[in-house]
Amino acid sequence: TTLLDFRDVQLTYPNGTIALSGVDLRVDRGEFVTVVGPSGCGKSTLLRIASGLEQASHGDAAVATDRVGYVFQDATLLPWRDVQTNVELLAELQWQTKAERRAKAKQAIDLVGLTGFEKHLPRQLSGGMRMRTSLARSLTLDPELFLFDEPFGALDEITREYLNDELLKLFAARRFGGLFITHSVSEAVYLSTKVIVMSGRPGRIVDAFDVPFPMPRD
Ligand code: ADP
Ligand code: ADP
């Protein structure tokens, strides 16, 4: 199943900046696609279109599911809520019942390895744990398509490698389609089944390759 299908996508911001041009990109279920490229080449813009935060100015940007998860570089947790209630937030906004969201949150917290930390506030957590809380919050929506905008970019290298392994495990457990943005080519190759290289202003796709020996994910 194709979850995301972009054809000849262009985006021009209101100030006239053309951020993206002629982008063709597909993500199928079970695929984990990473996008690498230097700052300013339109990677975030691409993800913002995929998540519906921006609309393509030209071309066709189809997303074939309404279950889209989105994780930013900043974990964006509410500081006054503990892990449990931060994770429940999205389910709450979807009007799930209290019992439903409790169960969803418990499962997600377990999946990211935060069981036992439910009552901790964000400031009592390490950066990696905050990011895992943010991941868990997105997981409560059972996303079919998961969008990651440099989620581990602000973390130290050891935590980052650890979380990359966690993400591979999550992917194996949930089999979502993934679209992951990073500056790091090694991270891209480690995580993905396919790497897309973007460059230039406006940003274009300049190369794409299947990872020859993707990490096992089941
Ligand atoms: P990347 O994520 O690869 O760093 P971005 O998608 O953030 O790239 O930005 C692509 C281009 O669009 C850059 O030239 C950036 O300055 C510009 N840009 C990003 N957001 C806006 C905006 N809201 N308004 C105008 N220009 C923007
Ligand atoms: P990560 O962020 O990937 O969990 P860390 O090195 O930051 O890795 O933390 C390693 C472990 O230390 C955590 O999994 C947790 O068990 C414990 N830990 C970290 N921060 C705290 C904290 N604020 N309170 C209690 N335990 C913590």
mmCIF file of all heavy atoms in Angstrom, residues 9-31:
data_model
loop_
_atom_site.group_PDB
_atom_site.id
_atom_site.type_symbol
_atom_site.label_atom_id
_atom_site.label_comp_id
_atom_site.label_asym_id
_atom_site.label_seq_id
_atom_site.Cartn_x
_atom_site.Cartn_y
_atom_site.Cartn_z
ATOM 1 N N VAL A 9 6.007 18.052 -6.714
ATOM 2 C CA VAL A 9 5.565 18.982 -5.674
ATOM 3 C C VAL A 9 6.483 20.206 -5.587
ATOM 4 O O VAL A 9 7.712 20.091 -5.561
ATOM 5 C CB VAL A 9 5.472 18.278 -4.297
ATOM 6 C CG1 VAL A 9 5.357 19.282 -3.163
ATOM 7 C CG2 VAL A 9 4.288 17.318 -4.286
ATOM 8 N N GLN A 10 5.854 21.351 -5.562
ATOM 9 C CA GLN A 10 6.570 22.615 -5.369
ATOM 10 C C GLN A 10 5.910 23.367 -4.239
ATOM 11 O O GLN A 10 4.700 23.287 -4.053
ATOM 12 C CB GLN A 10 6.513 23.452 -6.645
ATOM 13 C CG GLN A 10 7.270 24.773 -6.497
ATOM 14 C CD GLN A 10 7.147 25.656 -7.720
ATOM 15 O OE1 GLN A 10 7.310 25.190 -8.839
ATOM 16 N NE2 GLN A 10 6.834 26.913 -7.507
ATOM 17 N N LEU A 11 6.723 24.076 -3.463
ATOM 18 C CA LEU A 11 6.128 24.942 -2.456
ATOM 19 C C LEU A 11 6.816 26.297 -2.471
ATOM 20 O O LEU A 11 8.045 26.411 -2.365
ATOM 21 C CB LEU A 11 6.229 24.355 -1.045
ATOM 22 C CG LEU A 11 5.451 25.236 -0.048
ATOM 23 C CD1 LEU A 11 4.520 24.442 0.821
ATOM 24 C CD2 LEU A 11 6.381 26.088 0.785
ATOM 25 N N THR A 12 6.001 27.330 -2.623
ATOM 26 C CA THR A 12 6.478 28.708 -2.551
ATOM 27 C C THR A 12 5.877 29.337 -1.309
ATOM 28 O O THR A 12 4.663 29.324 -1.131
ATOM 29 C CB THR A 12 6.025 29.499 -3.802
ATOM 30 O OG1 THR A 12 6.407 28.765 -4.965
ATOM 31 C CG2 THR A 12 6.658 30.881 -3.841
ATOM 32 N N TYR A 13 6.750 29.834 -0.405
ATOM 33 C CA TYR A 13 6.249 30.495 0.794
ATOM 34 C C TYR A 13 5.687 31.872 0.423
ATOM 35 O O TYR A 13 6.056 32.438 -0.619
ATOM 36 C CB TYR A 13 7.359 30.621 1.842
ATOM 37 C CG TYR A 13 7.592 29.326 2.608
ATOM 38 C CD1 TYR A 13 8.745 28.570 2.420
ATOM 39 C CD2 TYR A 13 6.637 28.864 3.517
ATOM 40 C CE1 TYR A 13 8.952 27.392 3.125
ATOM 41 C CE2 TYR A 13 6.839 27.676 4.224
ATOM 42 C CZ TYR A 13 7.995 26.948 4.022
ATOM 43 O OH TYR A 13 8.183 25.780 4.717
ATOM 44 N N PRO A 14 4.808 32.433 1.277
ATOM 45 C CA PRO A 14 4.181 33.726 0.983
ATOM 46 C C PRO A 14 5.194 34.837 0.661
ATOM 47 O O PRO A 14 4.890 35.740 -0.118
ATOM 48 C CB PRO A 14 3.411 34.050 2.269
ATOM 49 C CG PRO A 14 3.095 32.720 2.857
ATOM 50 C CD PRO A 14 4.266 31.840 2.511
ATOM 51 N N ASN A 15 6.403 34.752 1.216
ATOM 52 C CA ASN A 15 7.390 35.809 0.933
ATOM 53 C C ASN A 15 8.099 35.591 -0.408
ATOM 54 O O ASN A 15 9.027 36.332 -0.752
ATOM 55 C CB ASN A 15 8.421 35.897 2.067
ATOM 56 C CG ASN A 15 9.338 34.688 2.128
ATOM 57 O OD1 ASN A 15 9.181 33.727 1.361
ATOM 58 N ND2 ASN A 15 10.301 34.729 3.022
ATOM 59 N N GLY A 16 7.713 34.555 -1.141
ATOM 60 C CA GLY A 16 8.277 34.334 -2.466
ATOM 61 C C GLY A 16 9.383 33.290 -2.526
ATOM 62 O O GLY A 16 9.791 32.884 -3.612
ATOM 63 N N THR A 17 9.873 32.830 -1.362
ATOM 64 C CA THR A 17 10.907 31.787 -1.342
ATOM 65 C C THR A 17 10.339 30.483 -1.902
ATOM 66 O O THR A 17 9.333 29.979 -1.405
ATOM 67 C CB THR A 17 11.388 31.516 0.103
ATOM 68 O OG1 THR A 17 11.839 32.731 0.668
ATOM 69 C CG2 THR A 17 12.522 30.484 0.121
ATOM 70 N N ILE A 18 10.999 29.966 -2.933
ATOM 71 C CA ILE A 18 10.619 28.637 -3.423
ATOM 72 C C ILE A 18 11.452 27.628 -2.642
ATOM 73 O O ILE A 18 12.662 27.541 -2.819
ATOM 74 C CB ILE A 18 10.877 28.502 -4.940
ATOM 75 C CG1 ILE A 18 10.168 29.630 -5.701
ATOM 76 C CG2 ILE A 18 10.380 27.142 -5.443
ATOM 77 C CD1 ILE A 18 10.503 29.674 -7.196
ATOM 78 N N ALA A 19 10.787 26.887 -1.750
ATOM 79 C CA ALA A 19 11.514 25.993 -0.847
ATOM 80 C C ALA A 19 11.756 24.634 -1.474
ATOM 81 O O ALA A 19 12.752 23.979 -1.176
ATOM 82 C CB ALA A 19 10.748 25.856 0.464
ATOM 83 N N LEU A 20 10.848 24.215 -2.335
ATOM 84 C CA LEU A 20 10.919 22.877 -2.943
ATOM 85 C C LEU A 20 10.486 22.984 -4.386
ATOM 86 O O LEU A 20 9.601 23.764 -4.709
ATOM 87 C CB LEU A 20 9.891 21.953 -2.307
ATOM 88 C CG LEU A 20 10.100 21.326 -0.968
ATOM 89 C CD1 LEU A 20 8.869 20.467 -0.670
ATOM 90 C CD2 LEU A 20 11.338 20.464 -0.982
ATOM 91 N N SER A 21 11.074 22.150 -5.221
ATOM 92 C CA SER A 21 10.629 22.143 -6.607
ATOM 93 C C SER A 21 10.771 20.754 -7.233
ATOM 94 O O SER A 21 11.768 20.063 -7.013
ATOM 95 C CB SER A 21 11.443 23.170 -7.390
ATOM 96 O OG SER A 21 10.928 23.306 -8.684
ATOM 97 N N GLY A 22 9.762 20.347 -7.947
ATOM 98 C CA GLY A 22 9.802 19.093 -8.706
ATOM 99 C C GLY A 22 10.072 17.851 -7.886
ATOM 100 O O GLY A 22 10.770 16.943 -8.330
ATOM 101 N N VAL A 23 9.477 17.776 -6.702
ATOM 102 C CA VAL A 23 9.757 16.637 -5.818
ATOM 103 C C VAL A 23 8.794 15.476 -6.091
ATOM 104 O O VAL A 23 7.575 15.629 -5.993
ATOM 105 C CB VAL A 23 9.701 17.056 -4.334
ATOM 106 C CG1 VAL A 23 9.707 15.842 -3.414
ATOM 107 C CG2 VAL A 23 10.875 17.969 -4.004
ATOM 108 N N ASP A 24 9.362 14.337 -6.436
ATOM 109 C CA ASP A 24 8.606 13.083 -6.571
ATOM 110 C C ASP A 24 9.069 12.154 -5.464
ATOM 111 O O ASP A 24 10.264 11.891 -5.350
ATOM 112 C CB ASP A 24 8.912 12.404 -7.917
ATOM 113 C CG ASP A 24 8.394 13.217 -9.090
ATOM 114 O OD1 ASP A 24 7.181 13.467 -9.130
ATOM 115 O OD2 ASP A 24 9.214 13.612 -9.947
ATOM 116 N N LEU A 25 8.141 11.665 -4.669
ATOM 117 C CA LEU A 25 8.517 10.844 -3.518
ATOM 118 C C LEU A 25 7.374 9.918 -3.149
ATOM 119 O O LEU A 25 6.211 10.332 -3.153
ATOM 120 C CB LEU A 25 8.831 11.769 -2.334
ATOM 121 C CG LEU A 25 9.182 11.120 -1.001
ATOM 122 C CD1 LEU A 25 10.490 10.362 -1.094
ATOM 123 C CD2 LEU A 25 9.291 12.196 0.078
ATOM 124 N N ARG A 26 7.721 8.678 -2.857
ATOM 125 C CA ARG A 26 6.703 7.709 -2.472
ATOM 126 C C ARG A 26 7.141 6.977 -1.214
ATOM 127 O O ARG A 26 8.309 6.639 -1.074
ATOM 128 C CB ARG A 26 6.541 6.705 -3.602
ATOM 129 C CG ARG A 26 5.098 6.323 -3.863
ATOM 130 C CD ARG A 26 5.028 5.417 -5.062
ATOM 131 N NE ARG A 26 4.862 4.053 -4.603
ATOM 132 C CZ ARG A 26 4.737 3.030 -5.436
ATOM 133 N NH1 ARG A 26 4.815 3.224 -6.747
ATOM 134 N NH2 ARG A 26 4.553 1.839 -4.958
ATOM 135 N N VAL A 27 6.221 6.747 -0.305
ATOM 136 C CA VAL A 27 6.495 5.904 0.860
ATOM 137 C C VAL A 27 5.404 4.845 0.940
ATOM 138 O O VAL A 27 4.220 5.173 1.021
ATOM 139 C CB VAL A 27 6.522 6.702 2.186
ATOM 140 C CG1 VAL A 27 6.836 5.787 3.361
ATOM 141 C CG2 VAL A 27 7.536 7.840 2.124
ATOM 142 N N ASP A 28 5.815 3.583 0.887
ATOM 143 C CA ASP A 28 4.869 2.471 1.018
ATOM 144 C C ASP A 28 4.885 1.946 2.444
ATOM 145 O O ASP A 28 5.845 2.169 3.182
ATOM 146 C CB ASP A 28 5.261 1.330 0.065
ATOM 147 C CG ASP A 28 5.058 1.704 -1.400
ATOM 148 O OD1 ASP A 28 4.344 2.693 -1.665
ATOM 149 O OD2 ASP A 28 5.622 1.008 -2.263
ATOM 150 N N ARG A 29 3.855 1.219 2.806
ATOM 151 C CA ARG A 29 3.829 0.559 4.107
ATOM 152 C C ARG A 29 5.034 -0.374 4.229
ATOM 153 O O ARG A 29 5.397 -1.056 3.276
ATOM 154 C CB ARG A 29 2.547 -0.246 4.263
ATOM 155 C CG ARG A 29 2.332 -0.768 5.673
ATOM 156 C CD ARG A 29 1.177 -1.742 5.763
ATOM 157 N NE ARG A 29 -0.044 -1.214 5.161
ATOM 158 C CZ ARG A 29 -0.852 -0.336 5.752
ATOM 159 N NH1 ARG A 29 -0.585 0.097 6.954
ATOM 160 N NH2 ARG A 29 -1.930 0.093 5.143
ATOM 161 N N GLY A 30 5.675 -0.363 5.393
ATOM 162 C CA GLY A 30 6.828 -1.236 5.587
ATOM 163 C C GLY A 30 8.137 -0.632 5.089
ATOM 164 O O GLY A 30 9.192 -1.217 5.278
ATOM 165 N N GLU A 31 8.032 0.526 4.468
ATOM 166 C CA GLU A 31 9.249 1.205 4.007
ATOM 167 C C GLU A 31 9.660 2.258 5.029
ATOM 168 O O GLU A 31 8.808 2.921 5.632
ATOM 169 C CB GLU A 31 8.954 1.946 2.695
ATOM 170 C CG GLU A 31 9.478 1.291 1.464
ATOM 171 C CD GLU A 31 9.407 2.263 0.285
ATOM 172 O OE1 GLU A 31 8.454 3.057 0.170
ATOM 173 O OE2 GLU A 31 10.319 2.192 -0.533
#
